[in-house]
């Protein structure tokens, strides 16, 4: 899941970015309304966490600007503006939730999970392929009762592939699913991570294999022995 944080206070921005990253999300960051709108119109995000007091205006204008967009993310307004009228205004503008600063980190994460379940009520939280089970909410993969020891980016790659099992996933799509705006990506970084993931799946007997399509991308296939 990809999140955009729109916050101009550096310490809080760093904390939110770390919190979301540790929860298995890709966290991109902007500090202004204009930058946020540019990011949201060019990149598909699942959720945006938006402060109201930004250098160039009220963050609610971001919610309002994308209110009719078919590709709008879910919006969580995170702000110190705690008057009842402010909360009502935020929700009436189109925010999916409204959380007051200061906040408990676990409450924020719980609210994000609730928002995403509400937006995708029919989405299965566990996807299976071969002998592999991927828990999208818990951000973990298992084969039988054994959890796979995956690094964060390996888990993100696996999620992107499992959600498209049997289909080609281009390198660009994988990079978008795994890396944030500020990440430095060396030419062979993705390939190295896929190589490690491929080895771990094989050693665990996951019953799936990652096939490389030279110059195009990758595909997750269920092994013939499992079919």
């Amino acid at each position: 899941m990809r999140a955009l944080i729109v916050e101009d206070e550096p310490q809080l921005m760093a904390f939110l970015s770390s919190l979301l990253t540790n929860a298995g999300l890709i966290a991109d960051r902007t500090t202004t309304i204009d930058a946020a709108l540019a990011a949201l119109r060019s990149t598909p995000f699942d959720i945006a966490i938006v402060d109201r007091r930004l250098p160039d205006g009220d963050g609610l204008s971001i919610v309002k600007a994308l209110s009719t967009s078919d590709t709008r993310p879910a919006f969580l307004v995170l702000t110190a503006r705690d008057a009842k009228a402010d909360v009502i205004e935020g929700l009436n503008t189109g925010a999916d939730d409204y959380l007051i600063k200061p906040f408990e980190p676990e409450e924020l994460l719980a609210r994000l999970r609730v928002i995403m379940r509400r937006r995708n009520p029919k989405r299965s939280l566990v996807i299976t392929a071969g002998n592999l089970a991927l828990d999208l909410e818990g951000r973990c993969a298992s084969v039988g009762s054994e959890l796979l020891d995956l690094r964060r980016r390996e888990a993100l790659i696996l999620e992107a592939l499992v959600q498209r099992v049997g289909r080609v996933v281009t390198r660009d799509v994988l990079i978008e699913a795994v890396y944030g705006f500020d990440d430095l990506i060396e030419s062979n970084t993705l390939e190295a991570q896929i190589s490690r993931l491929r080895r771990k799946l094989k050693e665990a007997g996951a019953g799936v294999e990652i096939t490389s399509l030279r110059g195009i991308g990758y595909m997750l296939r269920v092994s013939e022995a499992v079919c």
Side-chain angles (χ1 to χ4, degrees):
M1 187 165 73
R2 193 181 195 107
L4 180 68
I5 305 166
V6 190
E7 170 63 59
D8 67 325
E9 201 287 303
Q11 287 186 319
L12 180 56
M13 171 74 87
F15 174 77
L16 286 170
S17 180
S18 177
L19 178 68
L20 297 186
T21 298
N22 289 336
L25 282 72
I26 302 171
D28 289 315
R29 303 176 289 180
T30 60
T31 59
T32 66
I33 293 169
D34 285 346
L37 287 173
L40 290 166
R41 286 168 174 158
S42 64
T43 304
F45 286 92
D46 299 290
I47 195 155
I49 300 173
V50 180
D51 187 16
R52 291 197 61 172
R53 292 171 175 161
L54 296 170
D56 50 349
D58 187 340
L60 279 185
S61 64
I62 300 169
V63 182
K64 190 178 298 184
L66 297 176
S67 61
T68 60
S69 172
D70 293 334
T71 58
R72 73 182 290 277
F75 284 102
L76 171 65
V77 174
L78 182 63
T79 178
R81 292 180 58 170
D82 60 353
K84 184 177 291 187
D86 289 325
V87 177
I88 292 171
E89 181 186 14
L91 296 174
N92 282 342
T93 298
D96 295 87
D97 203 352
Y98 196 104
L99 183 60
I100 305 299
K101 300 175 183 178
F103 61 93
E104 291 294 330
E106 287 304 317
E107 180 182 0
L108 184 144
L109 292 177
R111 285 174 180 253
L112 294 182
R113 289 192 289 268
V114 169
I115 289 171
M116 297 314 298
R117 284 200 299 268
R118 194 164 61 227
R119 284 174 64 90
N120 301 283
K122 296 182 180 180
R123 181 191 188 194
S124 174
L125 294 179
V126 178
I127 302 176
T128 59
N131 303 321
L132 177 74
L134 178 65
D135 183 340
L136 297 176
E137 186 166 275
R139 298 303 210 198
C140 59
S142 59
V143 176
S145 60
E146 297 296 320
L147 287 176
L148 293 182
D149 182 16
L150 301 179
R151 300 180 183 180
R152 186 177 72 90
R153 296 201 194 282
E154 293 168 358
L156 290 169
I157 291 169
L158 183 59
E159 180 179 335
L161 292 172
V162 170
Q163 289 182 322
R164 302 166 177 84
V165 64
R167 290 185 284 155
V168 176
V169 183
T170 67
R171 192 175 189 278
D172 287 344
V173 167
L174 271 183
I175 287 174
E176 187 175 88
V178 175
Y179 300 100
F181 291 158
D182 299 329
D183 291 326
L184 297 175
I185 309 170
E186 296 182 3
S187 59
N188 64 340
T189 300
L190 179 64
E191 286 69 24
Q193 290 164 339
I194 288 177
S195 178
R196 286 196 300 268
L197 176 59
R198 186 183 279 129
R199 175 177 52 79
K200 291 179 181 181
L201 292 173
K202 182 178 181 179
E203 291 175 351
V208 294
E209 55 189 2
I210 301 173
T211 302
S212 300
L213 292 90
R214 189 175 182 84
I216 302 174
Y218 302 88
M219 180 188 295
L220 187 76
R221 300 177 186 269
V222 176
S223 303
E224 291 183 5
V226 179
C227 295

